[in-house]
Amino acid sequence: MITTPTAPAGGTGPVGCSGDRPLTGTLALPAPTGLRSQDGTGHVLLDWDPVDGALGYVVQRSDSADGPFVPLDHGEGDVPAVPRPPYADTRVEAGRGYWYKVASWTDAGPGPLTPGPVRGCARARGIDPAAVAVRVDAGAAPVPLRGVWKRTIGSAHLPLPPGAEPGPGGADADAEHAEAVRIVLGGIGIRTVRAHGTFLPERVTVRPDGTFDFTGLDAALDRLLAAGLEPVVELSFPPTGLAADPRDTVLTRGGGSALRDPGRYGELCRELTLHLCERHGADEVAGWLFEVGSEPAPEALRTGTQDACHRRYGTAARAVKSVDDRIRVGWRSPGAAAQVGALLEFCRREDVPIDFVSARTRGDAPLDLRPLTRSFARATGRPEPEVLWTERGVTASRFHPADDSAFAAPSVLRAVKSALASADALASWVATDHMARTGPPPALFHGGSGLLTAGNLRKPRYWALRLLSGLTGGRVPARVTGDGAEALVESLATAAGDGTRADVLVWNGTPDRTRAAGAAALDRAALVEVRGLTPDAVYDVTLWRVDEGHADIRTVWEAMGGGDWPDAEQWARLRAADVLPAEPLPEVAANPDGTVSLSVDLPMPGVRSLRLTRA
């Protein structure tokens, strides 16, 4: 962690540093103030005043005011933290009271809890779903909607040689992987892919004369580039040939030990960068990202340390920059914000270049790493490193049913909205269920991490991103009020700016995986009010739905009888059902003040997208 000296009297934000004084990323932060609760239908809504410098917050709960207080576990998440308030506790029983406290989360972990707990009690569902209202100002000046979800995606491995990994029923897994890449490229607009395996034996070998042979890597990168994608060049776990213990391997057969010869590793990184610049052009490669992975984390290294990981980053970063200083190079944390502060302190102390920090998060929305990167920029006078979440999954475990279900659709939208406020990229993990590290998929729906199944059927999570990518115009204000507002139910909206069109994307979801199959008490009835349209004008309305009964291909398969794999006739039926239909609604006329109101059902989990187009 970054050393955190005591703050000056009256100050709680980051302080500068000079000379050899350690960089301060986040100080020992105070407990949040203003903690308050609201009894909601099927949940308890908590809110508090944000703390300057916090990366996130940990909500703790007890059955009594005296404790003990235990962090709320969402199930299958990386850290028990949320990026910001408000927060809906859905792991509750109606009519039962609970007590809550909250702590700020820093790079060192949670800070002190709020001194006085608040009590909350969930209500049972009434006859009708509880109500929320979504109010959109389409007349506001639109601002660009940053495509943080489009910047990159995970692919789990670089493309294998054709036929190298047979798929289920003899399918060509690599051909399906290539098709999956084309689908996410065309349907979501993703342009960059981050893939493991740069230094695997089939990618890079050492010739008898000691030079490096990149033939296998060239073939893999050529196939990505031919599909229209740029690679994130992952300088990940050390090659087994350069590891202190070649027998120590992890994940996709990458070296799991410390480096035997750091200088030789630097030669490899430099020669690779030179090779790529010569083969693809220096100007082309200058636009790529070079990410030095920290996996496995130091605790997984039987012969390594955190310092060894940092020095490996320094060796790689300097080697890449020695070829072309324009190339953006950064470091990837082994988890959700773990070690980011320590790595930035290393770069400050050792004057190591760094253009971005990246991290992964599974199950939860990304935390806010900007207090760390901003403090680094102030302390060094360098540009602030970008924040890239290059691996975001719905769950932390493999083969979790939530990954295949409608639950994942609002989950990914919540994560994107969080990233819009605090990051430069959020990469969905992964494009397809064909993953080298987990082996061939055991069944069509097995809880794989892909946006697409084996065979490239689109999961609800894909359709959520497709709807997000289909928003037109610029972002305009969208505010949710009512039962569970801005914690269960959230919204994004865009508009053309001239009253001709408005898009409203609204979703209902919880990070609580115990509610992945849905919970009737969390269903909502949403009133969508769009103002700023042309007074008295008539608008065509189109609706898209993602929930258990719409754009959920797993539900279609289960209705067909389910099982492990479809036969030829079942594949045909599934592909015919693999659509997100547009549903025309009756046209509506704006009021004299330019307002249109529409009512939609909003199950949990569920996503609704409305488009209003002036007729």
Side-chain angles (χ1 to χ4, degrees):
M1 71 190 74
I2 292 178
T3 304
T4 54
T6 303
T12 59
V15 298
C17 61
S18 60
D20 293 329
R21 183 179 180 184
L23 169 67
T24 300
T26 41
L27 296 177
L29 298 178
T33 58
L35 179 61
R36 49 205 179 270
S37 69
Q38 181 177 338
D39 296 347
T41 306
H43 74 287
V44 174
L45 186 71
L46 299 169
D47 205 353
W48 58 89
D49 300 329
V51 176
D52 184 30
L55 309 187
Y57 303 89
V58 178
V59 180
Q60 299 199 17
R61 190 180 79 183
S62 174
D63 291 331
S64 74
D66 298 325
F69 287 85
V70 178
L72 279 173
D73 179 13
H74 301 148
E76 303 299 335
D78 277 340
V79 293
V82 294
R84 60 188 57 84
Y87 171 79
D89 177 16
T90 58
R91 193 170 287 197
V92 293
E93 298 177 17
R96 179 179 172 184
Y98 302 90
W99 296 87
Y100 298 91
K101 292 186 176 186
V102 178
S104 299
W105 182 278
T106 74
D107 55 318
L113 289 166
T114 48
V118 299
R119 185 178 185 274
C121 180
R123 298 190 297 264
R125 177 180 174 172
I127 297 175
D128 298 316
V132 294
V134 182
R135 292 182 170 85
V136 175
D137 185 1
V143 298
L145 176 61
R146 297 189 304 120
V148 296
W149 69 95
K150 296 182 179 181
R151 188 162 176 183
T152 186
I153 194 169
S155 75
H157 61 72
L158 288 165
L160 296 168
E165 182 181 304
D172 185 339
D174 196 59
E176 289 189 355
H177 188 280
E179 181 191 16
V181 168
R182 289 191 292 271
I183 290 172
V184 299
L185 175 69
I188 302 175
I190 291 169
R191 289 289 180 266
T192 303
V193 62
R194 173 184 176 269
H196 290 322
T198 299
F199 292 146
L200 289 178
E202 59 266 31
R203 305 286 178 233
V204 176
T205 59
V206 181
R207 300 185 182 98
D209 64 358
T211 59
F212 299 105
D213 184 350
F214 301 112
T215 302
L217 180 61
D218 288 340
L221 292 179
D222 285 349
R223 299 178 73 190
L224 288 180
L225 292 166
L229 286 167
E230 289 183 354
V232 174
V233 181
E234 189 194 59
L235 308 177
S236 55
F237 25 72
T240 54
L242 301 184
D245 182 1
R247 299 166 299 176
D248 187 3
T249 58
V250 296
L251 301 176
T252 49
R253 305 184 310 288
S257 80
L259 294 172
R260 183 179 69 246
D261 183 352
R264 184 69 168 143
Y265 179 73
E267 291 176 16
L268 170 62
C269 294
R270 184 176 185 278
E271 290 302 316
L272 171 62
T273 308
L274 276 169
H275 174 78
L276 294 175
C277 287
E278 292 169 356
R279 195 166 191 270
H280 301 285
D283 291 341
E284 168 73 15
V285 176
W288 296 359
L289 297 176
F290 282 60
E291 182 189 71
V292 184
S294 63
E295 288 191 287
E299 57 269 20
L301 295 173
R302 289 190 282 273
T303 59
T305 63
Q306 184 184 73
D307 183 67
C309 285
H310 293 170
R311 296 199 176 279
R312 179 163 63 85
Y313 170 77
T315 297
R318 288 187 173 115
V320 171
K321 291 287 191 178
S322 72
V323 176
D324 190 335
D325 191 58
R326 296 176 299 168
I327 296 175
R328 292 168 293 167
V329 63
W331 182 83
R332 181 175 182 273
S333 164
Q339 305 173 29
V340 171
L343 186 278
L344 289 173
E345 164 58 21
F346 168 80
C347 291
R348 183 203 68 83
R349 187 178 66 247
E350 302 287 340
D351 194 25
V352 175
I354 185 164
D355 299 304
F356 64 88
V357 295
S358 63
R360 79 172 190 194
T361 182
R362 302 287 184 86
D364 302 298
L367 301 179
D368 187 353
L369 302 184
R370 292 175 304 169
L372 301 175
T373 56
R374 288 173 177 172
S375 185
F376 173 82
R378 285 195 294 268
T380 62
R382 299 192 222 167
E384 181 182 349
E386 287 189 305
V387 175
L388 312 178
W389 293 88
T390 54
E391 183 177 324
R392 194 269 166 178
V394 175
T395 63
S397 68
R398 298 169 185 169
F399 304 157
H400 194 292
D403 282 282
D404 293 335
S405 73
F407 175 86
S411 173
V412 71
L413 294 178
R414 169 169 283 112
V416 167
K417 187 174 182 181
S418 177
L420 285 170
S422 62
D424 300 286
L426 180 74
S428 289
W429 185 258
V430 285
T432 167
D433 280 350
H434 285 300
M435 294 180 64
R437 69 163 68 172
T438 55
L444 178 61
F445 294 105
H446 61 282
S449 299
L451 297 177
L452 309 173
T453 69
N456 289 331
L457 300 174
R458 296 154 180 83
K459 299 182 187 179
R461 189 158 48 113
Y462 169 87
W463 290 123
L465 291 172
R466 178 68 178 271
L467 288 172
L468 184 60
S469 300
L471 297 178
T472 59
R475 186 177 180 182
V476 293
R479 180 171 177 262
V480 183
T481 58
D483 199 338
E486 302 295 355
L488 291 172
V489 179
E490 297 179 273
S491 181
L492 284 170
T494 58
D498 58 3
T500 60
R501 174 178 286 187
D503 288 344
V504 183
L505 186 61
V506 58
W507 60 89
N508 184 3
T510 169
D512 178 9
R513 251 70 64 188
T514 67
R515 301 291 186 263
L522 300 177
D523 293 345
R524 295 294 181 262
L527 175 66
V528 179
E529 180 183 277
V530 183
R531 59 188 178 93
L533 300 174
T534 304
D536 299 317
V538 174
Y539 285 82
D540 296 325
V541 183
T542 306
L543 170 70
W544 292 268
R545 295 187 282 180
V546 180
D547 55 40
E548 190 178 54
H550 304 86
D552 185 348
I553 198 66
R554 187 185 68 171
T555 301
V556 176
W557 176 235
E558 291 173 349
M560 292 166 57
D564 289 342
W565 294 103
D567 58 27
E569 185 272 335
Q570 290 172 322
W571 271 118
R573 290 169 61 189
L574 286 169
R575 296 196 189 286
D578 187 24
V579 294
L580 177 64
E583 305 174 41
L585 299 183
E587 63 182 22
V588 295
N591 294 337
D593 64 356
T595 300
V596 163
S597 296
L598 298 161
S599 296
V600 296
D601 68 309
L602 191 58
M604 199 303 293
V607 178
R608 298 291 183 263
S609 185
L610 286 163
R611 171 166 293 170
L612 285 75
T613 307
R614 194 168 67 195

